[in-house]
Amino acid sequence: MTQQAEASRPHTPLQDRLRQLLDGPVALDKRALLGSLYAEVTRCETLAYTAGWNDALAEARRTSSGDNRKDRASRQD
């Protein structure tokens, strides 16, 4: 699934999603249940990892642009 599709998907807390999988109308065998749980946890971890990188990159850009302004100001003095 693409990041854009992930962003448009409504956010369901992991605990609620796991409850849906466990209590869903279709009984899953152990292997299918574990596969579904693994996929769901991996999806959540990927989203968290991506969000962390996006935050870090945004902070680096802010810091970088702030440093550039300081450099330009010191050159003008």
Side-chain angles (χ1 to χ4, degrees):
M1 192 177 285
T2 67
Q3 285 181 347
Q4 187 175 21
E6 286 288 337
S8 66
R9 182 176 172 181
H11 174 70
T12 304
L14 180 59
Q15 185 176 5
D16 292 343
R17 183 65 184 123
L18 295 177
R19 188 176 297 114
Q20 289 171 353
L21 289 171
L22 290 170
D23 299 335
V26 178
L28 298 174
D29 66 6
K30 288 179 186 178
R31 189 173 301 272
L33 179 59
L34 287 174
S36 296
L37 293 174
Y38 180 78
E40 195 66 31
V41 169
T42 300
R43 185 186 71 79
C44 290
E45 287 177 342
T46 300
L47 291 173
Y49 181 79
T50 301
W53 270 106
N54 288 342
D55 291 347
L57 289 172
E59 181 63 28
R61 287 184 190 118
R62 278 194 296 273
T63 303
S64 172
S65 65
D67 290 346
N68 289 340
R69 283 188 220 121
K70 289 177 189 174
D71 288 345
R72 280 186 255 138
S74 66
R75 287 184 206 144
Q76 291 175 353
D77 292 340

